[in-house]
Amino acid sequence: MSKYITLKDKTFAPYIPERRIIEAITKMAGRIVHDMEGRDPLFVGILNGAYMFVAELMSKLPPTCELTFAAYSSYHGTKSDRIVKELLPVRIENRNRPVILLEDVVDTGFTMQYVMNRLREEGVNDVRLAAMFFKPGALQCNIKPDYVGMEIENDFIIGFGLDYDGYGRSLRSIYKIVE
């Protein structure tokens, strides 16, 4: 893992190495395979931040798993404005199958609460949430991921798909902001 990284006007320090991320995703995949045995879940990757998590997780699941993508936004810079914008909604043909949302990080929870409630309103009765990172100290609503790769502190992080104003997504490890 390299040293400090500066993106735009912020500096980030090494935080979680890639190998720990891969180990966490492998364990999560095992739990999902166990829970979904005999079922046909639809996996929904939440863009843009979850793309690396989704790719790694899907490579550890059976090839019969179906994947689609959706996009929502509530962040500007390092803060959520609590207004969820639906950029690419979830499209579901069969509402009788489980839907597992794949999210990069759950912090305030507002975006995933919005998406999960929306799917339930549309008639999906089994909606689950898999988050690579979960910040319980930042949670401001009544949701909890069903599958968590790692619980972390409430630091702003980049890497492994997560960004700061579009930068830093391609880093294979996680870095946290230096205030």
Side-chain angles (χ1 to χ4, degrees):
M1 208 163 152
S2 60
K3 304 279 183 214
Y4 290 81
I5 293 175
T6 299
L7 300 174
K8 296 177 76 173
D9 59 338
K10 304 286 184 213
T11 301
F12 299 87
Y15 184 40
I16 303 170
E18 178 184 10
R19 87 178 146 66
R20 283 192 48 219
I21 298 166
I22 303 302
E23 288 169 1
I25 292 171
T26 301
K27 288 179 187 173
M28 181 188 295
R31 290 191 304 270
I32 292 171
V33 166
H34 177 268
D35 289 355
M36 292 294 121
E37 187 173 347
R39 302 185 75 194
D40 182 27
L42 173 64
F43 291 88
V44 180
I46 306 299
L47 297 172
N48 289 334
Y51 80 95
M52 288 177 78
F53 165 51
V54 170
E56 191 64 39
L57 179 70
M58 295 306 290
S59 75
K60 296 172 182 347
L61 297 176
T64 55
C65 292
E66 184 180 356
L67 171 67
T68 190
F69 289 93
Y72 301 86
S73 175
S74 66
Y75 260 81
H76 295 92
T78 62
K79 303 283 185 219
S80 173
D81 61 13
R82 296 186 183 194
I83 300 168
V84 178
K85 295 172 188 73
E86 194 169 46
L87 307 173
L88 176 64
V90 177
R91 291 183 179 87
I92 300 172
E93 300 296 322
N94 181 353
R95 285 165 173 55
N96 294 321
R97 67 194 293 204
V99 172
I100 301 178
L101 302 171
L102 306 177
E103 176 68 304
D104 53 0
V105 61
V106 172
D107 42 37
T108 63
F110 289 120
T111 301
M112 286 299 96
Q113 177 179 258
Y114 170 86
V115 176
M116 294 175 83
N117 287 342
R118 177 104 181 205
L119 289 172
R120 288 183 184 113
E121 288 168 4
E122 292 176 5
V124 179
N125 58 15
D126 188 356
V127 180
R128 299 182 190 205
L129 175 57
M132 181 60 236
F133 300 104
F134 177 46
K135 299 178 181 180
L139 195 63
Q140 296 180 25
C141 53
N142 191 24
I143 67 163
K144 185 168 194 282
D146 300 279
Y147 307 99
V148 174
M150 294 181 192
E151 284 192 11
I152 61 173
E153 298 296 319
N154 190 21
D155 295 307
F156 185 82
I157 58 174
I158 60 165
F160 213 80
L162 290 93
D163 73 300
Y164 169 55
D165 278 348
Y167 295 91
R169 289 188 195 280
S170 62
L171 296 165
R172 297 290 303 169
S173 297
I174 295 293
Y175 293 74
K176 66 179 178 178
I177 197 165
V178 177
E179 297 291 346

